[in-house]
Amino acid sequence: MRRRRRRTLLLLLVAGTLAGAAAGLTDLVRRPADPAPVAAGEARLAHGVGAGARDEPTGYPTDGPGSFAAADGRSPVRGYDGPLHRYRVEVERGSGQDADGFAATVDEVLADPRSWIASGELRVQRVAEAAAADFTVYLATPATSERMCAEGGLTTERYTSCRLPGRVIINLARWMEAVPDYGAPLAVYRTYVINHEVGHELGELHQACPGPGAPAPVMQQQTYGLDGCVANAWPYVDGARYEGEPVDGV
């Protein structure tokens, strides 16, 4: 009897030990708990899909179809004497900008008595017909403007505007944002970039800053920095042509 009880007790003890070991093994191989659910955007970032997948929102498109809509109508002839330079205005489709609105700004700048007509040696007029225009002012997305400028061998890196014979190409990014540390309102930069690029179309070359604190000549490359000058959008200041030293070859 005593031997049977010992055997029974020993068997029960072994069975309990085996059961405990099996339970521990089950805990070791059990599938880990599912992670807490996350929002779809968080999941994309966690897997490296959302972060850096596209540029920060700019509020305007950086590329477009490369097709343009022209502004309607004609402006009055502006200026006092000299040859008439007729221009057309076009805005890239899908840019979010209105062709007639952009044209109104271009008209206002070129008709201002501080602009190129102040020389008394030329006049300007906007026209709607391509055949009647001597040059066209384009507003183009950064990628499109880069492609257009590259056709004339100019490198803009999607950043600057440019001028090719018969084509003044304004970069939408600069039109919307100007440039860092410009130190003047956006409207001043917009006036500058129109006068600068149209100045090239009229035969003007780049000029240098005259000195620290002086107004920047309109033909200075103000987009790349003011070099100590202060922002200035006009070729004529206080009724006189305002210039800096020529920059050789550009």
Side-chain angles (χ1 to χ4, degrees):
M1 287 288 292
R2 287 176 184 159
R3 287 178 183 172
R4 282 188 198 142
R5 284 176 184 168
R6 283 198 206 98
R7 248 194 326 266
T8 301
L9 184 58
L10 181 61
L11 289 173
L12 288 174
L13 185 59
V14 170
T17 301
L18 290 173
L25 182 61
T26 302
D27 285 338
L28 287 174
V29 300
R30 182 181 296 140
R31 182 172 61 87
D34 291 332
V38 294
E42 294 172 341
R44 286 197 297 272
L45 287 173
H47 289 86
V49 177
R54 61 180 181 178
D55 295 335
E56 289 294 320
T58 59
Y60 56 84
T62 57
D63 201 352
S67 60
F68 291 81
D72 293 325
R74 290 188 170 214
S75 73
V77 174
R78 306 291 191 181
Y80 312 103
D81 202 356
L84 178 61
H85 298 264
R86 294 184 176 93
Y87 62 93
R88 175 177 163 94
V89 171
E90 298 188 19
V91 170
E92 187 171 7
R93 290 185 171 89
S95 65
Q97 303 301 303
D98 175 67
D100 291 333
F102 177 61
T105 302
V106 175
D107 293 349
E108 183 180 2
V109 170
L110 296 182
D112 193 284
R114 295 166 291 179
S115 194
W116 297 108
I117 62 171
S119 67
E121 297 177 353
L122 63 90
R123 296 169 298 149
V124 295
Q125 181 186 30
R126 180 171 57 82
V127 296
E129 309 85 7
D134 299 303
F135 66 95
T136 300
V137 181
Y138 297 93
L139 182 62
T141 58
T144 298
S145 67
E146 180 186 45
R147 290 191 292 267
M148 294 173 72
C149 296
E151 291 174 6
L154 301 178
T155 302
T156 63
E157 298 180 341
R158 299 191 178 192
Y159 188 75
T160 61
S161 303
C162 78
R163 174 262 174 186
L164 301 175
R167 292 190 285 176
V168 168
I169 302 162
I170 307 299
N171 186 316
L172 178 64
R174 303 285 66 75
W175 187 255
M176 299 300 292
E177 296 180 350
V179 291
D181 303 319
Y182 189 61
L186 178 61
V188 174
Y189 181 86
R190 288 179 171 182
T191 300
Y192 153 74
V193 77
I194 292 170
N195 274 322
H196 181 93
E197 301 301 344
V198 171
H200 282 311
E201 179 64 24
L202 299 175
E204 300 289 337
L205 300 178
H206 286 144
Q207 298 171 3
C209 170
V218 77
M219 294 312 299
Q220 181 179 333
Q221 291 179 289
Q222 296 180 33
T223 298
Y224 287 128
L226 295 172
D227 295 333
C229 276
V230 295
N232 167 53
W234 301 106
Y236 285 80
V237 177
D238 296 328
R241 178 76 166 94
Y242 182 73
E243 300 181 89
E245 290 295 321
V247 176
D248 292 338
V250 290

